[in-house]
Amino acid sequence: MRGRTLSARIALVVCTGMTLTLATQSLAASPSALPAVAAPPAPPDVAVAAAAPTAPVGPAAVEPAAPVGQAAAPVEPGAVALAAPDIAIANVQAHLTQFNSIASGNGGNRRAGSAGYTASVTYVKTRLQTAGYTVTEQRCTSCTYPSNNLIAEWPGGPADQVVMFGAHLDGVSAGPGINDNASGSAALLENALVLAAQDPTMTKRVRFAWWTDEEQGLNGSRFYVNSLSATQRGYIKGYYNFDMVGSTNGGYFINRLSSTTAAPLKAYWDSLGLRPEENVEGQGRSDDYPFQQAGIPTSGYAAGASARKTSAQATKWGGTANAAYDPCYHRSCDTTANISSTVLNRAADGIAYALWQLAVGDGTGGCSGGQVVTNGGFESGSSPWTASSGVITNSSGQPARTGSWKAWLDGRGRTTTHTLAQTVTLPAGCTAATLAFWLHIDTAETTRTTAYDRLTVRLGTTTLASWSNLDAASGYLQRTLDVGGYAGQTVTLTFTGTEDSSLQTSFVVDDVTLQVG
């Protein structure tokens, strides 16, 4: 990631991510067409990693504790299973070793325009060409250090529907640049190789990019975006950036966290109970920014640079409070010892999950599914929800599960009826659909036998399920409901909370998804 002092022109955004076995889905250009994605249950191999993480490559690998105030992401039966490949962390680390060796053999760095950078391009290009990619080098003539971007496209999916994944390949002259940014480059390379090896049916065209001269002011990615025609820019339905994704004291940060574009990245980390945060430190400092300026939806992963981890973050994720996320940021010690394999693995697997959700099909050709609920985290205001006054709120009285906003039904301690509703369309031809949401029930009722207050969930005119004051529990629990029988229908999803005349019960809903596949 480029330093803050390089250009005052840049203001906002950043980076990282990958994961697990075979899925179906799509992405489109506008927020309404870029569907959010159901939070997946942690797959077996990831669940094991959470309990006993891979030994770190370097010091201070971060293993997050369970989220404060709740058990680690309980998931009820029937949740949508992951369908993306597991990205082997050992393979990602092998790429890092190669980049470190390249730097060692070329003056100790991989700065843009240097022999170390050129050798890095050759390494990535050779692996991609062997795997079957169409690979091009684009000369950045306006870069501070004129050198080449590397662009690789997988042959499959419509050429006018592109999902793009990128990372900068250059480092600073002070050291080999392994976390910054061989980590993002290696995670992206291994994802590309796994995609080629599996060769699934594609619903979107996938394009990978490794940028030059990022450290001098995002020059390589800006040159690429400026080289595109308006039509070519319109083909890119989302750009995902990965920059510094293995920080040893790292956090779990997502660019534009509450955006629809970020939803698949967030869904994967949510499934691990990580509770990611907005990438404030990296805003405007990495290669997603030129895409954002051009009107292309963007997101990405990052694990942090020179900013310091807060006490709250250390409690949530582990690591050392009041210490830099990356103690070797832009220093000679940014070697393979400066990587947390746990953080890097979760980023690499999250990339894969997003890629499969957005661009890989099931081969049946009959389903154009995906996420059909909009603004399920309530972070973008009330639209398109209709709700009783005050239900969608950022009030501190009940905490949101993620972000600041949630839907808080009832909780008044008097006769109350609150509703929350959104009309959705489930595409025809799909074989599965799962409604999922996170529910916290807090009550002052003392009975253990009588349901005085109740939350009911309906789709159309059918009641799917209900909960009451008898189901109160600390923290949020994910509720999942099979709604596959509604394929091809436009129906209204409705939450209705009813409360009797005394003793409050709060039904707090967050992160609503309806994933169709």
Side-chain angles (χ1 to χ4, degrees), residues 161-182:
Q161 299 286 316
V162 177
V163 186
M164 195 164 182
F165 296 80
H168 75 88
L169 187 56
D170 67 313
V172 295
S173 58
I178 299 306
N179 188 41
D180 186 14
N181 181 39

Side-chain angles (χ1 to χ4, degrees), residues 395-459:
S395 161
S396 61
Q398 291 285 347
R401 176 178 173 269
T402 59
S404 301
W405 293 77
K406 70 277 178 181
W408 180 0
L409 295 88
D410 297 341
R412 301 320 193 249
R414 60 181 182 271
T415 302
T416 305
T417 298
H418 280 159
T419 60
L420 172 72
Q422 181 178 147
T423 299
V424 295
T425 299
L426 284 70
C430 300
T431 59
T434 298
L435 171 66
F437 57 94
W438 293 80
L439 175 63
H440 169 55
I441 303 174
D442 174 84
T443 189
E445 299 282 4
T446 58
T447 179
R448 296 186 179 182
T449 58
T450 305
Y452 290 114
D453 312 313
R454 188 174 295 277
L455 177 74
T456 302
V457 182
R458 299 196 318 274
L459 199 58

Side-chain angles (χ1 to χ4, degrees), residues 17-19 85-88 91-92 95 124-135 150-155 163 165-166 184-200 202 206-210 242 348 351-353 355-356 360:
M18 291 193 173
T19 169
D86 178 33
I87 303 303
N91 293 345
V92 180
H95 300 313
V124 176
K125 181 178 181 180
T126 300
R127 296 297 305 269
L128 293 168
Q129 286 179 325
T130 301
Y133 279 86
T134 301
V135 185
L150 188 67
I151 313 296
E153 194 152 306
W154 184 245
V163 186
F165 296 80
S185 294
L188 212 59
L189 174 58
E190 189 58 25
N191 261 275
L193 297 178
V194 170
L195 178 66
Q198 296 209 0
D199 192 17
M202 305 301 296
V206 174
R207 184 178 302 160
F208 296 95
W210 288 262
F242 306 98
I351 293 174
Y353 178 75
L355 193 161
W356 250 250
V360 174

Side-chain angles (χ1 to χ4, degrees), residues 108-111 170-177 180 215-216 330-331:
N109 68 75
R110 299 181 306 104
R111 192 211 70 198
D170 67 313
V172 295
S173 58
D180 186 14
E215 296 290 1
Q216 318 310 316
H330 284 187
R331 297 173 60 194

